[in-house]
Amino acid sequence: MKNAVLQKKLTNLLHDRFTTSDSVLVNFAKGEDAYDPIKPQAVVFPNSNTELSEVLRLCNEYKTPVVPYGTGTSLEGHAVGNQNGITISLEKFDKILSVNADDFDCRVQANVTREQLNEHLRDKGVFFPIDPGANASLGGMASCSASGTMAVKYGTMRTVVMGLTVILANGDIIKTGTRAKKTSAGYNLTNLFVGSEGTLGIITEVHLKLSPIPESIMSAICQFKDLESAVLTAQEIIQYGASIARIELLNKDQMEISIKYSKLENLKVLPTLFYEFHGSENSNKESIEVVEEISKSHHGSEFTWASNTEERNKIWKARHNVYYSVKAQGDNIRVYATDVCVPISNLVKCIRFAEDEIKKNGLKAPMVGHVGDGNFHVTIIYDPKKENEYKYIRSFSDKLIDKALE
């Protein structure tokens, strides 16, 4: 490490939880993104707010950049190392601190994952609904204001985070929010940090709203002759106000890959919507009638129903494995994932633009979207050895962002 004084102070503080071992540096050089890895000078593993506060105070004093690292599931470069700085692993911050099922809230440390939390909650009549697909850390999900497959019913991280413990760059420890449903005292600092992507401070604890487990959960698949019909169907379902928990879109390219990778049976290579309904049996029945009618008006197929929990889990596992199914298409390929969100009334226009741009250049671009809240991803497969392909992809990404902003 370049700064010997800082290295000595961090070693005295953390002992064997400070390392410059090359094998460790490689593991913390990037997340699951398409970027080249960059090794930091060191990796540290603090195990308390006090230790992390001191690490940040020292790094601030010696002008050393830091990168916080959770589970490393980011697809957008958040976890790439800094060659002049250190990476701070939050893997020791993995405890569920409290659960208040009667009040529908809990408090967890930042590296607790959503699956870990739901496993802990499974006999308490409540669950945590934000589901971005990856088994991400809840601190990282708060930092990135994660959305997910159930955003259409339950909202995003910005909706469910009630409070945070954050350590600022100078080492100050602050707490935001309360267990009360609202507060009129002071600034809403919680939502300042949610979505700040690690640039304003490191989140170490998250206070979350929970939801009651629905009486009835029903999942179905509907296929369409073209992408526009599928997107218009999703748009009309939302605009009608039908009660639905999930509307996930997979385009034709993605369905071809997912059918093979996840061994989905009796499905065609067509644009597809995955639906899920949460509620009472009566309310679900009413919602299903509405959604079936809207789907048929756009020439959707008969619904393929998941008849039991095992089949339902298979459907959603296939959806969650989309990124890994695309990565499995070759040994030497990379996957560049875009991410835009637009008002629901502009979704057809934006998705059509993305598909047309990709077709112009002959690239294969599987597409998946949380179309219930206007969010979709184009996952572009490319060969890193072909420089022109990557240049085009970056150009396409810029055009797509400009279109979304427009």
Side-chain angles (χ1 to χ4, degrees), residues 11-224:
T11 302
N12 289 339
L13 174 68
L14 300 169
H15 307 292
D16 60 351
R17 288 178 287 113
F18 171 93
T19 182
T20 56
S21 165
D22 193 64
S23 61
V24 177
L25 301 187
V26 168
N27 286 338
F28 286 88
K30 69 189 292 288
E32 291 190 10
D33 48 72
Y35 301 102
D36 291 328
I38 299 175
K39 290 190 293 186
Q41 292 188 21
V43 180
V44 298
F45 300 85
N47 61 17
S48 68
N49 288 337
T50 304
E51 278 191 349
L52 181 48
S53 169
E54 183 62 15
V55 169
L56 286 174
R57 188 191 68 76
L58 287 168
C59 289
N60 191 50
E61 180 182 347
Y62 290 95
K63 309 297 183 192
T64 300
V66 299
V67 175
Y69 195 107
T71 52
T73 55
S74 165
L75 301 180
E76 296 174 358
H78 300 99
V80 171
N82 185 307
Q83 62 187 4
N84 297 313
I86 68 168
T87 289
I88 299 174
S89 170
L90 296 172
E91 67 181 51
K92 307 287 186 186
F93 291 77
D94 60 353
K95 297 176 185 63
I96 296 169
L97 303 174
S98 65
V99 174
N100 308 289
D102 291 343
D103 292 324
F104 299 101
D105 70 80
C106 68
R107 194 166 190 92
V108 301
Q109 289 187 313
N111 214 51
V112 171
T113 67
R114 62 174 187 84
E115 288 182 8
Q116 178 189 347
L117 177 58
N118 276 326
E119 177 66 22
H120 183 82
L121 296 173
R122 65 178 180 169
D123 61 349
K124 294 177 170 58
V126 293
F127 79 115
F128 177 70
I130 310 303
D131 174 12
N135 187 25
S137 67
L138 293 163
M141 287 170 63
S143 283
C144 297
S145 193
S147 176
T149 64
M150 288 192 267
V152 63
K153 182 176 178 69
Y154 298 99
T156 67
M157 284 300 283
R158 191 175 293 278
T159 316
V160 300
V161 175
M162 300 173 70
L164 300 166
T165 299
V166 182
I167 304 181
L168 305 181
N170 65 356
D172 285 354
I173 302 173
I174 66 169
K175 293 182 184 290
T176 74
T178 71
R179 289 189 62 215
K181 297 301 180 188
K182 74 174 287 282
T183 175
S184 57
Y187 296 117
N188 182 359
L189 292 178
T190 300
N191 276 349
L192 176 66
F193 287 101
V194 173
S196 63
E197 307 202 1
T199 60
L200 299 181
I202 298 178
I203 294 171
T204 60
E205 295 173 15
V206 191
H207 184 195
L208 297 163
K209 294 178 188 174
L210 303 173
S211 296
I213 294 174
E215 173 193 329
S216 170
I217 300 176
M218 300 183 71
S219 297
I221 290 175
C222 184
Q223 299 199 279
F224 297 83

Side-chain angles (χ1 to χ4, degrees), residues 223-226 250-252 255-256 259 268-272:
Q223 299 199 279
F224 297 83
K225 63 180 181 179
D226 55 59
L250 280 67
N251 77 343
K252 186 177 178 180
M255 278 303 294
E256 182 179 9
I259 287 169
K268 297 177 180 178
V269 179
L270 290 171
T272 303

Side-chain angles (χ1 to χ4, degrees), residues 220-226 229-230 233 237 255 265-275 288-289 291-305:
I221 290 175
C222 184
Q223 299 199 279
F224 297 83
K225 63 180 181 179
D226 55 59
S229 297
T233 299
I237 290 168
M255 278 303 294
E265 298 170 357
N266 304 318
L267 292 174
K268 297 177 180 178
V269 179
L270 290 171
T272 303
L273 291 177
F274 288 16
Y275 297 132
I288 288 166
E289 287 175 359
V291 172
E292 282 187 317
E293 186 178 332
I294 293 172
S295 300
K296 285 177 181 176
S297 73
H298 291 285
H299 309 290
S301 68
E302 292 294 321
F303 283 13
T304 301
W305 288 98

Side-chain angles (χ1 to χ4, degrees), residues 247-260:
I247 312 178
E248 291 291 301
L249 169 73
L250 280 67
N251 77 343
K252 186 177 178 180
D253 285 345
Q254 184 57 59
M255 278 303 294
E256 182 179 9
I257 292 168
S258 290
I259 287 169
K260 294 175 184 175

